[in-house]
Short mmCIF file of all heavy atoms in Angstrom, two decimals:
data_model
loop_
_atom_site.label_atom_id
_atom_site.label_comp_id
_atom_site.label_asym_id
_atom_site.label_seq_id
_atom_site.Cartn_x
_atom_site.Cartn_y
_atom_site.Cartn_z
N TRP A 18 254.75 88.26 110.62
CA TRP A 18 255.14 89.09 111.83
C TRP A 18 254.04 90.22 111.98
O TRP A 18 253.59 90.83 110.95
CB TRP A 18 256.50 89.79 111.53
CG TRP A 18 256.83 90.86 112.54
CD1 TRP A 18 257.08 90.76 113.85
CD2 TRP A 18 256.76 92.24 112.21
NE1 TRP A 18 257.31 91.87 114.38
CE2 TRP A 18 257.15 92.97 113.40
CE3 TRP A 18 256.56 92.95 111.05
CZ2 TRP A 18 257.30 94.27 113.44
CZ3 TRP A 18 256.68 94.33 111.12
CH2 TRP A 18 257.05 95.00 112.33
N VAL A 19 253.77 90.56 113.24
CA VAL A 19 252.73 91.52 113.51
C VAL A 19 253.26 92.79 114.18
O VAL A 19 253.03 93.88 113.79
CB VAL A 19 251.54 90.94 114.36
CG1 VAL A 19 250.54 91.98 114.79
CG2 VAL A 19 250.88 89.77 113.69
N ALA A 20 254.00 92.49 115.30
CA ALA A 20 254.54 93.68 116.07
C ALA A 20 255.69 93.18 116.92
O ALA A 20 255.76 91.93 117.16
CB ALA A 20 253.32 94.17 116.98
N ALA A 21 256.52 94.08 117.37
CA ALA A 21 257.65 93.66 118.21
C ALA A 21 258.00 94.84 119.11
O ALA A 21 257.70 96.00 118.86
CB ALA A 21 258.90 93.41 117.35
N ILE A 22 258.60 94.36 120.24
CA ILE A 22 259.02 95.51 121.27
C ILE A 22 260.46 95.01 121.71
O ILE A 22 260.59 93.90 122.09
CB ILE A 22 258.00 95.65 122.38
CG1 ILE A 22 258.47 96.78 123.36
CG2 ILE A 22 257.82 94.31 123.07
CD1 ILE A 22 257.32 97.18 124.28
N SER A 23 261.32 95.93 121.80
CA SER A 23 262.68 95.58 122.23
C SER A 23 262.81 95.61 123.69
O SER A 23 261.99 95.92 124.46
CB SER A 23 263.63 96.69 121.54
OG SER A 23 263.55 97.86 122.19
N TYR A 24 263.97 95.13 124.16
CA TYR A 24 264.38 95.44 125.50
C TYR A 24 264.53 96.92 125.61
O TYR A 24 264.36 97.63 124.69
CB TYR A 24 265.70 94.58 125.83
CG TYR A 24 266.61 94.41 124.75
CD1 TYR A 24 267.35 95.47 124.17
CD2 TYR A 24 266.65 93.19 124.00
CE1 TYR A 24 268.12 95.23 123.10
CE2 TYR A 24 267.44 92.99 122.96
CZ TYR A 24 268.26 93.99 122.47
OH TYR A 24 269.02 93.83 121.33
N ILE A 25 264.95 97.38 126.86
CA ILE A 25 265.04 98.92 127.01
C ILE A 25 265.89 99.53 125.90
O ILE A 25 266.97 98.95 125.59
CB ILE A 25 265.65 99.21 128.43
CG1 ILE A 25 264.75 98.65 129.45
CG2 ILE A 25 266.08 100.59 128.61
CD1 ILE A 25 265.19 98.83 130.86
N PRO A 26 265.36 100.50 125.22
CA PRO A 26 264.33 101.45 125.60
C PRO A 26 262.82 101.12 125.10
O PRO A 26 262.03 101.99 124.94
CB PRO A 26 264.85 102.74 124.96
CG PRO A 26 265.46 102.32 123.64
CD PRO A 26 266.08 101.03 124.07
N HIS A 27 262.60 99.70 124.89
CA HIS A 27 261.24 99.43 124.50
C HIS A 27 260.81 99.97 123.21
O HIS A 27 259.75 100.55 123.02
CB HIS A 27 260.28 99.67 125.55
CG HIS A 27 260.51 98.96 126.82
ND1 HIS A 27 259.89 99.24 127.97
CD2 HIS A 27 261.33 97.89 127.12
CE1 HIS A 27 260.29 98.37 128.86
NE2 HIS A 27 261.22 97.58 128.40
N THR A 28 261.78 100.04 122.12
CA THR A 28 261.39 100.46 120.82
C THR A 28 260.26 99.47 120.30
O THR A 28 260.31 98.32 120.48
CB THR A 28 262.56 100.38 119.96
OG1 THR A 28 263.62 101.21 120.48
CG2 THR A 28 262.27 100.83 118.52
N THR A 29 259.23 100.04 119.68
CA THR A 29 258.15 99.24 119.01
C THR A 29 258.16 99.35 117.55
O THR A 29 258.65 100.31 117.00
CB THR A 29 256.81 99.60 119.63
OG1 THR A 29 256.61 101.06 119.31
CG2 THR A 29 256.75 99.45 121.08
N ASN A 30 257.69 98.27 116.96
CA ASN A 30 257.67 98.22 115.51
C ASN A 30 256.39 97.42 115.08
O ASN A 30 256.05 96.47 115.77
CB ASN A 30 258.88 97.48 114.99
CG ASN A 30 259.19 97.80 113.58
OD1 ASN A 30 258.53 98.61 112.95
ND2 ASN A 30 260.26 97.19 113.01
N TYR A 31 255.75 97.85 114.07
CA TYR A 31 254.54 97.28 113.65
C TYR A 31 254.44 96.96 112.11
O TYR A 31 254.97 97.71 111.34
CB TYR A 31 253.27 98.18 113.96
CG TYR A 31 253.17 98.42 115.43
CD1 TYR A 31 253.75 99.62 116.03
CD2 TYR A 31 252.33 97.61 116.21
CE1 TYR A 31 253.58 99.82 117.33
CE2 TYR A 31 252.17 97.84 117.59
CZ TYR A 31 252.78 99.00 118.15
OH TYR A 31 252.71 99.21 119.52
N ALA A 32 253.77 95.88 111.81
CA ALA A 32 253.52 95.66 110.37
C ALA A 32 252.52 96.68 109.87
O ALA A 32 251.68 97.16 110.67
CB ALA A 32 252.92 94.22 110.25
N ASP A 33 252.65 97.10 108.57
CA ASP A 33 251.89 98.05 108.06
C ASP A 33 250.35 97.74 108.22
O ASP A 33 249.47 98.51 108.37
CB ASP A 33 252.12 98.31 106.55
CG ASP A 33 253.50 98.96 106.43
OD1 ASP A 33 253.96 99.55 107.35
OD2 ASP A 33 254.04 98.95 105.25
N SER A 34 250.00 96.47 108.13
CA SER A 34 248.58 96.02 108.12
C SER A 34 247.90 96.24 109.50
O SER A 34 246.70 96.24 109.56
CB SER A 34 248.55 94.59 107.72
OG SER A 34 249.19 93.74 108.67
N VAL A 35 248.70 96.46 110.55
CA VAL A 35 248.21 96.64 111.91
C VAL A 35 248.46 98.02 112.43
O VAL A 35 248.00 98.35 113.55
CB VAL A 35 248.58 95.52 112.86
CG1 VAL A 35 248.24 94.23 112.22
CG2 VAL A 35 250.01 95.63 113.24
N LYS A 36 249.32 98.77 111.85
CA LYS A 36 249.78 100.00 112.40
C LYS A 36 248.66 100.95 112.57
O LYS A 36 247.68 101.08 111.73
CB LYS A 36 250.82 100.65 111.37
CG LYS A 36 251.68 101.75 112.00
CD LYS A 36 252.77 102.19 111.02
CE LYS A 36 253.70 100.95 110.82
NZ LYS A 36 254.85 101.39 109.85
N GLY A 37 248.63 101.54 113.74
CA GLY A 37 247.48 102.44 114.04
C GLY A 37 246.26 101.75 114.76
O GLY A 37 245.43 102.37 115.31
N ARG A 38 246.27 100.34 114.68
CA ARG A 38 245.12 99.59 115.30
C ARG A 38 245.61 98.77 116.37
O ARG A 38 244.90 98.46 117.41
CB ARG A 38 244.44 98.73 114.28
CG ARG A 38 243.91 99.45 113.06
CD ARG A 38 243.10 98.53 112.12
NE ARG A 38 243.92 97.54 111.60
CZ ARG A 38 243.69 96.25 111.69
NH1 ARG A 38 242.63 95.81 112.48
NH2 ARG A 38 244.46 95.30 111.10
N PHE A 39 246.86 98.17 116.32
CA PHE A 39 247.36 97.31 117.35
C PHE A 39 248.47 98.12 118.14
O PHE A 39 249.16 98.94 117.58
CB PHE A 39 248.00 96.10 116.74
CG PHE A 39 247.07 95.15 116.09
CD1 PHE A 39 245.66 95.46 115.90
CD2 PHE A 39 247.51 93.87 115.74
CE1 PHE A 39 244.81 94.56 115.30
CE2 PHE A 39 246.67 92.92 115.17
CZ PHE A 39 245.33 93.29 114.95
N THR A 40 248.62 97.77 119.43
CA THR A 40 249.58 98.40 120.32
C THR A 40 250.26 97.21 121.14
O THR A 40 249.59 96.41 121.78
CB THR A 40 249.02 99.30 121.29
OG1 THR A 40 248.34 100.38 120.52
CG2 THR A 40 250.04 99.91 122.13
N ILE A 41 251.55 97.02 120.96
CA ILE A 41 252.24 96.05 121.77
C ILE A 41 252.86 96.79 122.99
O ILE A 41 253.41 97.99 122.91
CB ILE A 41 253.43 95.48 120.86
CG1 ILE A 41 254.08 94.23 121.54
CG2 ILE A 41 254.39 96.49 120.42
CD1 ILE A 41 255.01 93.49 120.72
N SER A 42 252.85 96.03 124.07
CA SER A 42 253.45 96.68 125.31
C SER A 42 253.97 95.48 126.25
O SER A 42 253.65 94.32 125.93
CB SER A 42 252.36 97.43 126.12
OG SER A 42 251.33 96.67 126.49
N ARG A 43 254.70 95.84 127.23
CA ARG A 43 255.24 94.80 128.04
C ARG A 43 255.24 95.27 129.55
O ARG A 43 255.41 96.48 129.74
CB ARG A 43 256.61 94.36 127.59
CG ARG A 43 257.72 95.45 127.57
CD ARG A 43 258.93 95.07 126.91
NE ARG A 43 259.61 93.87 127.52
CZ ARG A 43 260.54 93.17 126.95
NH1 ARG A 43 260.98 93.53 125.71
NH2 ARG A 43 261.12 92.15 127.57
N ASP A 44 255.15 94.38 130.44
CA ASP A 44 255.37 94.70 131.85
C ASP A 44 256.41 93.84 132.46
O ASP A 44 256.22 92.59 132.67
CB ASP A 44 254.04 94.46 132.64
CG ASP A 44 254.08 94.81 134.05
OD1 ASP A 44 255.21 95.10 134.59
OD2 ASP A 44 253.04 95.05 134.76
N ASN A 45 257.63 94.33 132.52
CA ASN A 45 258.76 93.53 132.93
C ASN A 45 258.69 93.07 134.41
O ASN A 45 259.36 92.12 134.76
CB ASN A 45 260.06 94.27 132.66
CG ASN A 45 260.36 94.56 131.28
OD1 ASN A 45 259.97 93.77 130.37
ND2 ASN A 45 261.05 95.65 130.98
N THR A 46 257.83 93.81 135.15
CA THR A 46 257.74 93.38 136.54
C THR A 46 256.87 92.11 136.61
O THR A 46 257.03 91.44 137.73
CB THR A 46 257.07 94.52 137.41
OG1 THR A 46 255.74 94.72 137.00
CG2 THR A 46 257.85 95.77 137.31
N LYS A 47 256.03 91.80 135.67
CA LYS A 47 255.28 90.63 135.71
C LYS A 47 255.58 89.63 134.63
O LYS A 47 254.89 88.62 134.47
CB LYS A 47 253.77 91.05 135.48
CG LYS A 47 253.25 92.05 136.62
CD LYS A 47 251.78 92.42 136.29
CE LYS A 47 251.28 93.37 137.35
NZ LYS A 47 249.91 93.75 137.09
N ASN A 48 256.66 89.85 133.89
CA ASN A 48 257.09 88.99 132.77
C ASN A 48 255.87 88.77 131.78
O ASN A 48 255.64 87.71 131.33
CB ASN A 48 257.47 87.55 133.27
CG ASN A 48 258.82 87.63 133.95
OD1 ASN A 48 259.36 88.69 134.28
ND2 ASN A 48 259.39 86.45 134.18
N MET A 49 255.27 89.96 131.44
CA MET A 49 254.11 89.90 130.64
C MET A 49 254.27 90.69 129.36
O MET A 49 254.96 91.77 129.30
CB MET A 49 252.85 90.37 131.36
CG MET A 49 252.33 89.60 132.51
SD MET A 49 251.73 87.97 131.92
CE MET A 49 250.35 88.45 131.01
N LEU A 50 253.74 90.25 128.22
CA LEU A 50 253.68 90.90 127.03
C LEU A 50 252.19 90.97 126.57
O LEU A 50 251.43 90.11 126.81
CB LEU A 50 254.39 90.08 125.83
CG LEU A 50 254.45 90.67 124.47
CD1 LEU A 50 255.25 91.84 124.31
CD2 LEU A 50 254.87 89.54 123.47
N TYR A 51 251.90 92.13 125.97
CA TYR A 51 250.49 92.33 125.57
C TYR A 51 250.35 92.78 124.11
O TYR A 51 251.37 93.34 123.59
CB TYR A 51 249.87 93.42 126.48
CG TYR A 51 249.93 93.08 127.92
CD1 TYR A 51 250.95 93.76 128.72
CD2 TYR A 51 249.03 92.25 128.50
CE1 TYR A 51 251.02 93.39 130.08
CE2 TYR A 51 249.11 92.07 129.90
CZ TYR A 51 250.09 92.61 130.69
OH TYR A 51 250.20 92.33 132.01
N LEU A 52 249.23 92.52 123.56
CA LEU A 52 248.92 93.08 122.23
C LEU A 52 247.40 93.57 122.31
O LEU A 52 246.48 92.79 122.27
CB LEU A 52 249.06 92.05 121.17
CG LEU A 52 248.89 92.51 119.67
CD1 LEU A 52 249.97 93.54 119.33
CD2 LEU A 52 248.77 91.45 118.71
N ARG A 53 247.26 94.85 122.32
CA ARG A 53 245.97 95.46 122.26
C ARG A 53 245.55 95.63 120.78
O ARG A 53 246.24 96.27 120.09
CB ARG A 53 246.07 96.78 123.00
CG ARG A 53 244.71 97.54 122.90
CD ARG A 53 243.56 96.82 123.63
NE ARG A 53 242.33 97.76 123.71
CZ ARG A 53 241.21 97.19 124.12
NH1 ARG A 53 241.08 95.91 124.45
NH2 ARG A 53 240.17 98.09 124.10
N MET A 54 244.49 94.95 120.46
CA MET A 54 244.04 95.02 119.09
C MET A 54 242.62 95.74 119.01
O MET A 54 241.69 95.35 119.71
CB MET A 54 243.88 93.58 118.56
CG MET A 54 245.10 92.74 118.71
SD MET A 54 245.02 91.11 117.91
CE MET A 54 243.77 90.44 119.06
N THR A 55 242.60 96.73 118.27
CA THR A 55 241.34 97.51 118.09
C THR A 55 240.90 97.57 116.60
O THR A 55 241.76 97.22 115.74
CB THR A 55 241.49 99.02 118.64
OG1 THR A 55 242.47 99.70 117.77
CG2 THR A 55 241.93 99.02 120.00
N ASP A 56 239.67 97.87 116.40
CA ASP A 56 239.15 97.94 115.03
C ASP A 56 239.46 96.73 114.23
O ASP A 56 239.99 96.77 113.18
CB ASP A 56 239.61 99.18 114.30
CG ASP A 56 238.91 99.41 113.06
OD1 ASP A 56 237.77 98.99 112.85
OD2 ASP A 56 239.52 100.09 112.16
#
């Protein structure tokens, strides 16, 4: 497991190994999920 985002209120959760480097987000208007990975 890497990251997760809930339905509203869009609570996010990250594995320790990626915390601070990865960002999970979603666009419900487009049925899209994203994972921004840095460093």
Side-chain angles (χ1 to χ4, degrees):
W18 169 71
V19 175
I22 184 166
S23 72
Y24 29 77
I25 293 175
H27 296 168
T28 300
T29 58
N30 202 4
Y31 297 93
D33 288 342
S34 59
V35 306
K36 197 172 294 182
R38 299 188 298 122
F39 290 11
T40 302
I41 188 171
S42 62
R43 62 194 298 166
D44 184 342
N45 292 333
T46 66
K47 299 179 180 179
N48 286 14
M49 293 293 296
L50 175 72
Y51 304 99
L52 185 67
R53 175 65 175 168
M54 306 183 293
T55 64
D56 190 23

